């Protein structure tokens, strides 16, 4: 892992629906009721050279707690080893007003982040370009069911096979994660009640000329979801990204 690592940081307060895309792939999509400031790794989305960051903002209700505060959204990319150092920042409304443009929503903004460091090439760039409908193909739906069934049956080998590309890619960028693997296996063996698999509710959003499929559900629920049998307040759910590599659709993020 002899490369620089980067993180994204977002500052988002109520009164806007914000969607941020990196190189054409959504990494953030939320309407918030409170101020939020998520931060997370982003190196696995970046490429050497130019990286396009796009922000789409549209109006949403203001928070009753801060009814006089209008929308604000900021996205920055920072060095993982020096979080005080931003290598890219885009701020609404500051970045728009600085250009003398109207700040009325909806709008689309953003910019270009140039990375001169050597970085691993993102795996989806090796994926094949595919055409597929929003409802997905038989092959795509089967890949999601494979992941669902592996977790539902507590089949560790099958689950590791379904997730091997995601795990290997994360480790390629961020180093070995033995504790994460152990935690995942421990978590899988808890008494989860899986929400019924519904292939008709699945949706596959197409990005980057079909190299990437984002898997979600039309109902708004996570693509795969479970609730703890003994602690009803505990649950988890996940949407995920897939690419078609070596002739089959595989989860990579």
């Amino acid at each position: 892992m002899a490369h620089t690592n980067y993180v994204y940081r977002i500052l988002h307060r109520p009164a806007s629906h914000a969607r941020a895309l990196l190189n054409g792939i959504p990494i953030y999509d939320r309407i918030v009721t409170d101020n939020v400031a998520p931060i997370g790794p982003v190196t696995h989305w970046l490429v050497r050279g130019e990286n396009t960051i796009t922000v789409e903002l549209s109006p949403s209700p203001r928070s009753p707690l801060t009814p006089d505060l209008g929308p604000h959204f900021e996205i920055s990319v920072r060095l993982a080893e020096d979080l005080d150092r931003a290598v890219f920042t885009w701020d609404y409304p500051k970045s728009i007003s600085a250009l003398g443009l109207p700040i009325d929503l909806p709008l689309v903004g953003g910019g270009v982040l140039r990375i001169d460091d050597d970085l691993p090439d993102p795996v989806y760039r090796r994926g094949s370009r595919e055409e597929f409908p929003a409802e997905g193909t038989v092959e795509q739906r089967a890949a999601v069911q494979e992941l669902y069934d592996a977790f539902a049956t507590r089949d560790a080998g099958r689950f590791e096979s379904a997730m091997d590309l995601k795990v290997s890619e994360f480790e390629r960028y961020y180093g070995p994660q033995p504790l994460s693997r152990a935690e995942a296996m421990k978590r899988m063996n808890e008494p989860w009640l899986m929400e019924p698999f519904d292939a008709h509710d699945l949706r596959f959003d197409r990005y980057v000329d079909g190299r990437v499929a984002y898997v979600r559900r039309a109902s708004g629920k996570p693509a795969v979801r479970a609730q703890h049998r003994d602690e009803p307040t505990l649950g988890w759910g996940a949407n995920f990204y897939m690419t078609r590599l070596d002739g089959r659709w595989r989860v990579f993020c």
Side-chain angles (χ1 to χ4, degrees):
M1 190 185 63
H3 60 261
T4 303
N5 271 318
Y6 300 86
V7 299
Y8 74 85
R9 190 184 73 179
I10 285 173
L11 304 176
H12 187 192
R13 76 182 182 206
S16 73
H17 173 195
R19 193 165 84 124
L21 301 92
L22 179 51
N23 293 328
I25 302 172
I27 61 170
Y28 181 87
D29 189 349
R30 289 183 67 179
I31 295 174
V32 299
T33 56
D34 297 295
N35 294 349
V36 300
I39 188 170
V42 76
T43 320
H44 55 288
W45 293 119
L46 296 170
V47 298
R48 181 184 172 92
E50 291 189 349
N51 295 267
T52 302
I53 297 175
T54 306
V55 179
E56 302 171 353
L57 295 177
S58 57
S60 72
R62 297 190 181 201
S63 168
L65 300 176
T66 54
D68 297 327
L69 291 180
H72 175 257
F73 182 84
E74 178 186 301
I75 181 170
S76 61
V77 176
R78 298 169 179 267
L79 297 177
E81 295 183 352
D82 184 4
L83 295 180
D84 291 331
R85 183 181 171 191
V87 296
F88 174 91
T89 300
W90 186 88
D91 177 290
Y92 174 86
K94 186 187 301 181
S95 295
I96 296 294
S97 60
L99 297 174
L101 299 174
I103 63 171
D104 299 334
L105 301 183
L107 63 78
V108 177
V112 173
L113 163 63
R114 182 169 184 83
I115 300 289
D116 293 321
D117 305 320
D118 285 325
L119 293 177
D121 202 34
V123 66
Y124 69 84
R125 286 163 60 95
R126 305 200 315 268
S128 56
R129 293 184 173 91
E130 300 290 334
E131 296 288 344
F132 51 86
E135 296 78 17
T137 64
V138 171
E139 185 185 3
Q140 286 175 321
R141 294 190 293 270
V144 177
Q145 184 154 19
E146 176 69 15
L147 174 61
Y148 175 95
D149 289 346
F151 200 96
T153 59
R154 311 296 192 268
D155 188 329
R158 196 175 173 190
F159 181 75
E160 285 194 327
S161 177
M163 299 294 286
D164 63 347
L165 182 61
K166 178 178 179 178
V167 172
S168 64
E169 280 304 292
F170 195 88
E171 293 188 341
R172 185 163 70 102
Y173 280 91
Y174 306 111
Q177 308 287 317
L179 293 179
S180 296
R181 288 190 180 215
E183 180 62 28
M185 292 298 104
K186 178 182 176 182
R187 184 183 187 189
M188 186 178 72
N189 288 317
E190 293 189 28
W192 298 106
L193 300 175
M194 301 293 290
E195 185 157 311
F197 181 79
D198 184 358
H200 298 292
D201 194 24
L202 290 176
R203 293 295 180 269
F204 297 79
D205 298 330
R206 184 175 179 271
Y207 296 104
V208 198
D209 297 326
R211 293 182 187 272
V212 173
Y214 179 64
V215 188
R216 59 182 180 86
R217 289 215 256 172
S219 61
K221 297 177 181 179
V224 178
R225 185 172 183 271
Q227 185 172 337
H228 202 282
R229 183 194 64 198
D230 302 328
E231 300 181 56
T233 58
L234 295 181
W236 65 270
N239 297 329
F240 40 86
Y241 295 91
M242 304 177 75
T243 191
R244 195 167 192 269
L245 191 65
D246 301 326
R248 64 188 180 98
W249 284 98
R250 303 170 69 185
V251 177
F252 74 91
C253 188

